[in-house]
Amino acid sequence: MTGKILIFFIILIVQILSSPTSYDEGEFEFLESKMHPPFSARAARDAMQNSAISPDELTREYWLNQAKATIAERLTLKKNNRKAKNIIVFLGDGMSHATLAAARNVLGNENKNLSFEHFPYTASSKTYCVNAQVPDSACTATAIFSGVKNNINMVGLTAAAKYDSCSDQNNSSMRAYSIAKWFQDQHKSAGFVTTTSVTHATPACVYAKAANRDWEGNQRVRESGCDDTIVDDIAEQLIHGDIGSKLKVALGGGSRFFVNTSTIMHNTYGARTDGKNLINEWLSAKPNRKFVKNREELMSVNTNNIDSLFGLFESYFMQFNLDVVHNNWESIYPTLTEMAVKAVDVLSKDKNGYFLLVEGGRIDHGHHFTQSRYAVDELIEFHKAIETIKNKVNLDETLIVVTGDHGHTLSFGGWPKRGNDVFGVTKGSFGPALDGNDYFSLSYANGPGYYTHRKAGARVDPKTLDTTGIGFNFPATVPAYVETHSGDDIGVWAVGPQSHEFRGVIEQNVIAHLMAKAACVGAYNEDCQN
C-alpha cells in the first residue's frame, strides 16, 4: 500500500512540473505591456511641454551634475564625535514613505525635499511589536523611548505584562524606563510637545506605564475593573509620577482628563470621576510654574521667569491645522512650531542639557479616516517645525532625530504624469481603469473611504464626486470604520553629535540606545567618563 501511495505522489509531482504556465505567450505579453505601459508619441510630446518638468531635466548633463553634486556634498561630511548635550526627537505619527512622497508634491514638485530629508544620516527601522506584525503607537513609542520592544496597546511595560492587568501595571519588574528618566537621573531636563492629547500613547511612553493605552483618565481605569486609587491613570502619572512630575514642558491637548465632571474647559466638561483638578495640583506642587490654555497665553509666556510650562489647548486632540486655518482659529490654537519653540526656550535654560519629544501626532489621524489632505498637511506642519528648531539650536551639541512610529496603508500609484495633482484623479499613461472610470493616485487598503467610492457593488465614477473638500475621503479597498496601520519599515533621519551612528536597517528599539549612547545617559553613562 505504501508503494502505491509513493507512486501516486511521484506521478502527481511529474504532472505539476510538466503542466503549462497559467498564461500562454500571447496573454503574458499582453499583461507585460500593462505592467509597463509605454507612453504614446503624443504623451511624450506633452511631457516635453509639462510645466512641472524643468527643461534642464531633459538633458543628460543635468542628472550627471546633480548626482556629482550630491556625492561631493557627502564627501565633505565630517563625523561629529562629541557628546550630545541635548537630544530632540521629532516623531511623525503614521509618517509612511508614501506620505512623504505626497507631501513633496504638495510643496511644489516631486523632486522637492522636506527639511529633514537634508539630514546627512539615515536608517530604516523595523516596527513590529513583540506580539503583533503591525504595530500601534504604544508599542512603537515604548521601543523608541525605552529601548525595549513590548506588546501592542501597552505603554512603558515589557512584553511580560498582560493587557488590562491592574497588578502588572504596578509590577516594577515589568517597567521599561524611558530616555526621559535617563536624562532626569543625570540632572538634565526633559519635556514633550504633541498635537494629540498629552496622555495619548506616544507622549505617554515618555513618562508613564499603562497596561492599557486607553487609561488616559481615572474613569477608564475604573471601567476596566481596576481600583483607581491603586492603579494610576496616565494623566495622574503626568502630574504626580516619578518622571511626569519632573518634566519641564508638556504641551498639547487633553484637558478633559485633568479636570472633574463639574469643570468646563475648552467648552467641554471634564471626564475625571474622582473629583480631582490635576491642573491645580500641578500648579501648587512647585513654584515658578505656568499653565496656559490657548495660543495667546502661550505666546505671552516669558520663559525667563518660569521653571516649568504646562499647556492644554483642547479638550482632547488639538484641531487639524487645515481646520484652524479654514475657520480662522489661529488666535486660539498654537502651531506645532510655536509649541516647539517655547519648549526649547524653557528646556535650554538647563545648562546640563535636555531631552525633548516633538510629535506631529495628527498625521496618523488623517490617515485613519482616509482623509489624505489632513494627513499630508499635518506632515508639512511637522516639516516646518523641524526646520525652525534645526536653525534655532546648536547642532554641535544637539542631536536631532526624526522618525515615524509606524506606517499606514496609503498607496501612491497609477502612473500619473509629472505635476499631476496628488489629490486628484489620473488616467495614467494607458487610460482609465477597466471599468471605464478614472481613479485616484492616492488610495488605502482599508478604511471608511470604501463607502464613498463603492455603491451598489460598483466603483463610483470620480467625476461625480466633489473631491475638493479638505475632509474628502480617499478610496479604500476594504470597508472599515477606520483605516489600519501598516507593517512596513519607517525612515530615521539624524543630524548632530553621533548622528553618523544612525545607519542601516535596525530594530526600532535600537533608536533609544543610539540616543542614550550619544548623550551618555542610562546604561551608557560610563561611556563618557573619559
Side-chain angles (χ1 to χ4, degrees), residues 132-372:
Q133 289 180 331
V134 175
D136 79 318
S137 294
C139 78
T140 52
T142 298
I144 292 169
F145 301 134
S146 73
V148 175
K149 285 210 175 200
N150 70 340
N151 294 333
I152 198 167
N153 291 327
M154 307 282 273
V155 171
L157 297 172
T158 69
K162 296 181 292 294
Y163 180 71
D164 248 7
S165 171
C166 313
S167 58
D168 284 358
Q169 171 161 318
N170 288 342
N171 187 335
S172 60
S173 69
M174 295 181 180
R175 183 69 192 270
Y177 293 101
S178 79
I179 191 171
K181 175 175 171 52
W182 304 341
F183 265 71
Q184 291 174 344
D185 288 345
Q186 296 298 318
H187 306 290
K188 303 171 187 287
S189 295
F192 69 87
V193 166
T194 181
T195 52
T196 65
S197 166
V198 296
T199 54
H200 209 235
T202 299
C205 290
V206 170
Y207 62 88
K209 59 184 184 296
N212 182 334
R213 59 174 286 178
D214 291 334
W215 290 352
E216 296 180 70
N218 81 296
Q219 78 286 1
R220 293 183 174 177
V221 174
R222 290 181 178 180
E223 289 168 2
S224 294
C226 298
D227 184 343
D228 66 338
T229 64
I230 299 174
V231 177
D232 288 339
D233 59 87
I234 295 172
E236 181 93 24
Q237 292 180 61
L238 176 57
I239 303 304
H240 296 299
D242 291 342
I243 302 171
S245 63
K246 299 174 186 175
L247 293 175
K248 294 297 182 64
V249 177
L251 300 174
S255 59
R256 61 187 298 190
F257 300 115
F258 293 85
V259 295
N260 58 56
T261 54
S262 62
T263 301
I264 297 177
M265 183 171 288
H266 301 116
N267 301 314
T268 304
Y269 281 102
R272 298 198 68 84
T273 56
D274 56 7
K276 293 183 178 180
N277 186 315
L278 294 179
I279 297 170
N280 290 340
E281 292 181 18
W282 182 83
L283 285 168
S284 62
K286 292 181 181 179
N288 299 323
R289 290 184 159 190
K290 182 68 175 179
F291 173 75
V292 294
K293 59 183 180 297
N294 56 49
R295 180 183 182 274
E296 181 181 2
E297 292 181 3
L298 176 69
M299 301 308 291
S300 66
V301 169
N302 184 341
T303 56
N304 293 322
N305 297 332
I306 63 170
D307 295 328
S308 302
L309 177 62
F310 184 20
L312 298 173
F313 307 104
E314 186 55 278
S315 62
Y316 198 19
F317 302 137
M318 293 184 66
Q319 298 290 330
F320 283 116
N321 176 68
L322 280 177
D323 287 333
V324 171
V325 174
H326 180 74
N327 293 295
N328 296 314
W329 291 336
E330 290 95 337
S331 62
I332 302 173
Y333 300 105
T335 65
L336 182 62
T337 297
E338 290 169 339
M339 291 192 293
V341 167
K342 283 293 184 181
V344 170
D345 287 343
V346 173
L347 294 171
S348 60
K349 293 165 59 178
D350 190 331
K351 302 305 180 184
N352 292 325
Y354 62 85
F355 168 81
L356 171 64
L357 161 67
V358 179
E359 185 199 17
R362 303 220 66 191
I363 302 168
D364 176 71
H365 298 157
H367 283 318
H368 275 309
F369 297 106
T370 62
Q371 295 171 320
S372 298

Side-chain angles (χ1 to χ4, degrees), residues 54-68:
S54 165
D56 292 337
E57 292 185 40
L58 305 179
T59 68
R60 177 179 63 242
E61 288 73 23
Y62 171 82
W63 297 106
L64 294 176
N65 292 334
Q66 179 231 40
K68 288 179 180 178

Side-chain angles (χ1 to χ4, degrees), residues 83-94:
K83 171 185 174 182
K85 176 182 175 182
N86 314 308
I87 293 181
I88 303 175
V89 176
F90 285 90
L91 194 151
D93 198 315

Side-chain angles (χ1 to χ4, degrees), residues 109-160:
N109 203 313
E110 294 82 354
N111 59 17
K112 292 286 186 181
N113 282 319
L114 296 156
S115 57
F116 52 92
E117 292 180 315
H118 293 289
F119 286 10
Y121 299 103
T122 60
S124 181
S125 73
K126 294 184 282 186
T127 63
Y128 65 90
C129 308
V130 169
N131 67 343
Q133 289 180 331
V134 175
D136 79 318
S137 294
C139 78
T140 52
T142 298
I144 292 169
F145 301 134
S146 73
V148 175
K149 285 210 175 200
N150 70 340
N151 294 333
I152 198 167
N153 291 327
M154 307 282 273
V155 171
L157 297 172
T158 69

Side-chain angles (χ1 to χ4, degrees), residues 35-48:
M35 294 177 199
H36 309 287
F39 278 91
S40 66
R42 179 176 180 177
R45 289 194 301 270
D46 291 344
M48 297 284 287

